[in-house]
């Protein structure tokens, strides 16, 4: 006897009647059928659920991924712009240090200050919990360093602007001519540097330049300034010292007669004294010194308004003479 099932209706073949007779399943059988179908449906549902979780993004996840990609792109662009800005700043720093500050005789800004960073290991601690925290922290660091360097450079440029406005006055004050009429350069007796002392006949550092001239020869102020001494000075005899401002001073030694007094303002080219033979001197001459920031400098570097390029070059060669000085 076989069982024929059509959909949810069951039939059992009766050999006596030679017919299929309808059979109704028991409650247990119906329960098992339903349970089997539910289990199959549940397994399929779980499979579909996990498939969507691991294979397909939810709308929120897709939105977040899109935002992350956009954020990464923006950070990449920002880093490129930071790199370009840093290159421009470094070029400006180079020009500022080796060109602008040199022109205005401004003090150098050490690279340790220009390139200084920020201290403290906890400065960016609050950023470490963010998405892509390493990228955020690195970008923020570079931005902070750039802002600090821009601040330093801005202050430097403001200083240079002030120096530029003051340059016209400074140019008038900087010693820039010879202290006696000496176009033919025949009055130059000895230059700056190690020379033979005329008294002790040993090598000695000569802190100025000597110009031989007759007693009474006019001596000129080499730059605008104020007379701060017009009196005897040990070793120099009768001496005039002018404070030109901007850390410059000039000294005129062994003079004969004063033409100025202490506190008097003088202009470049104004007569301040006459050549003499006072103090420690081996003959009539003028001893001339340039002092910058408290230190002696070679006066030969300060005749640029008095001589042509050819004359200036010849004067520098003559100033290298290592002969005997006159004081």
């Amino acid at each position: 006897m076989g069982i024929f099932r059509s959909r949810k209706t069951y039939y059992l073949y009766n050999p006596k009647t030679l017919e299929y007779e309808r059979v109704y399943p028991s409650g247990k059988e119906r329960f098992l059928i339903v349970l089997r179908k539910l289990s199959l449906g549940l397994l399929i549902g779980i499979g579909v659920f996990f498939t969507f979780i691991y294979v397909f993004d939810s709308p929120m996840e897709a939105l977040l991924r899109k935002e992350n990609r956009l954020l990464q792109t923006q950070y990449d662009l920002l880093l490129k712009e930071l790199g370009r800005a840093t290159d421009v700043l470094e070029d400006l720093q180079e020009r500022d240090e080796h060109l602008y500050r040199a022109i205005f005789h401004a003090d150098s800004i050490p690279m340790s200050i220009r390139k200084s960073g920020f201290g403290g290991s906890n400065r960016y601690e609050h950023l470490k919990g963010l998405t892509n925290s390493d990228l955020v922290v690195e970008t923020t660091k570079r931005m902070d360093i750039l802002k600090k360097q821009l601040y330093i450079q801005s202050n430097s440029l403001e200083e240079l602007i002030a120096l530029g406005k003051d340059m016209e006055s400074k140019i008038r004050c900087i010693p820039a001519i010879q202290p006696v009429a000496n176009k033919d350069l025949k009055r130059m007796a000895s230059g700056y540097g190690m020379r033979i002392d005329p008294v002790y006949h040993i090598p000695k550092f000569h802190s100025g330049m000597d110009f031989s001239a007759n007693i009474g020869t006019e001596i000129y102020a080499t730059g605008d300034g104020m007379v701060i001494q017009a009196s005897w000075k040990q070793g120099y005899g009768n001496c005039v010292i002018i404070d030109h401002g901007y850390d410059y001073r000039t000294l005129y030694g062994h003079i004969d007669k004063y033409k100025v007094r202490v506190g008097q303002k003088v202009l470049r080219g104004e007569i301040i004294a006459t050549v003499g033979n006072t103090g420690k001197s081996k003959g009539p001459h003028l001893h001339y010194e340039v002092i910058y920031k408290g230190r002696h400098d070679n006066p030969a570097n300060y005749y640029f308004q008095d001589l042509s390029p050819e004359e200036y070059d010849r004067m520098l060669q003559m100033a290298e003479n290592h002969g005997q000085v006159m004081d």
Side-chain angles (χ1 to χ4, degrees):
M1 178 181 296
I3 297 177
F4 171 74
R5 183 176 65 184
S6 175
R7 295 183 181 178
K8 297 182 181 180
T9 303
Y10 294 88
Y11 293 89
L12 181 63
Y13 182 74
N14 189 341
K16 294 182 180 181
T17 61
L18 302 177
E19 292 179 354
Y20 282 95
E21 297 178 356
R22 187 171 183 175
V23 178
Y24 296 94
S26 64
K28 181 179 180 180
E29 290 175 338
R30 287 196 299 270
F31 174 76
L32 291 175
I33 292 171
V34 172
L35 182 61
R36 185 171 60 252
K37 292 182 178 180
L38 287 175
S39 298
L40 181 60
L42 182 61
L43 290 174
I44 293 174
I46 292 174
V48 172
F49 175 75
F50 282 103
T51 299
F52 271 95
I53 287 180
Y54 290 104
V55 177
F56 302 101
D57 290 333
S58 67
M60 181 60 71
E61 288 173 333
L63 180 61
L64 289 175
R65 288 182 184 275
K66 182 179 179 180
E67 290 179 351
N68 283 340
R69 287 194 296 270
L70 179 61
L71 184 62
Q72 180 69 50
T73 302
Q74 290 174 337
Y75 268 114
D76 290 340
L77 292 174
L78 178 60
L79 286 175
K80 289 182 180 179
E81 291 299 320
L82 279 175
R84 294 191 187 101
T86 301
D87 291 341
V88 172
L89 178 59
E90 288 179 351
D91 180 67
L92 183 57
Q93 289 173 335
E94 189 75 15
R95 291 171 178 268
D96 177 63
E97 188 64 33
H98 298 103
L99 179 60
Y100 307 142
R101 305 192 78 80
I103 290 174
F104 294 111
H105 296 280
D107 293 333
S108 175
I109 299 178
M111 293 306 293
S112 59
I113 295 178
R114 288 186 181 274
K115 300 293 186 180
S116 61
F118 290 88
S121 58
N122 297 326
R123 182 180 180 87
Y124 306 100
E125 194 68 30
H126 65 287
L127 300 175
K128 293 184 177 179
L130 301 176
T131 304
N132 297 323
S133 60
D134 291 342
L135 182 61
V136 175
V137 169
E138 180 63 25
T139 305
T140 306
K141 282 182 179 179
R142 292 182 61 178
M143 181 68 76
D144 286 345
I145 292 173
L146 180 62
K147 288 191 293 185
K148 185 173 182 180
Q149 292 182 8
L150 282 172
Y151 174 76
I152 294 171
Q153 185 59 48
S154 175
N155 288 341
S156 175
L157 291 176
E158 288 180 3
E159 178 189 356
L160 293 174
I161 290 172
L163 289 172
K165 292 178 180 178
D166 202 32
M167 181 55 73
E168 183 178 358
S169 172
K170 184 175 181 179
I171 288 175
R172 292 196 302 266
C173 294
I174 293 176
I177 63 173
Q178 295 180 96
V180 294
N182 188 36
K183 260 299 203 178
D184 57 8
L185 303 177
K186 291 182 179 179
R187 287 181 168 172
M188 188 177 299
S190 180
Y192 173 91
M194 295 302 298
R195 299 292 186 268
I196 303 300
D197 188 275
V199 176
Y200 303 107
H201 304 288
I202 60 174
K204 183 179 179 181
F205 183 77
H206 190 232
S207 57
M209 292 187 73
D210 291 341
F211 296 87
S212 62
N214 296 326
I215 293 177
T217 301
E218 295 174 336
I219 301 172
Y220 307 104
T222 55
D224 295 3
M226 178 181 290
V227 177
I228 60 173
Q229 181 173 339
S231 61
W232 184 273
K233 184 176 176 65
Q234 183 66 36
Y236 295 94
N238 292 333
C239 177
V240 169
I241 298 178
I242 299 176
D243 186 346
H244 301 276
Y246 306 100
D247 297 316
Y248 286 98
R249 289 186 177 185
T250 51
L251 179 149
Y252 311 78
H254 311 299
I255 65 179
D256 180 39
K257 293 181 180 180
Y258 302 107
K259 300 294 183 179
V260 291
R261 64 185 183 280
V262 174
Q264 180 178 336
K265 291 184 178 180
V266 295
L267 301 177
R268 178 185 291 141
E270 185 174 344
I271 299 172
I272 59 172
T274 58
V275 172
N277 189 29
T278 58
K280 181 175 171 285
S281 173
K282 295 294 287 186
H285 77 287
L286 168 69
H287 175 80
Y288 173 65
E289 295 181 359
V290 175
I291 300 100
Y292 179 60
K293 291 187 175 181
R295 310 181 81 173
H296 288 92
D297 201 357
N298 190 347
N301 297 327
Y302 294 88
Y303 302 144
F304 47 84
Q305 286 195 3
D306 199 28
L307 302 172
S308 68
E310 294 77 15
E311 292 168 338
Y312 189 75
D313 184 62
R314 180 169 164 241
M315 181 272 302
L316 289 177
Q317 294 178 20
M318 294 176 65
E320 290 298 318
N321 170 39
H322 286 65
Q324 183 172 317
V325 296
M326 300 184 70
D327 51 28

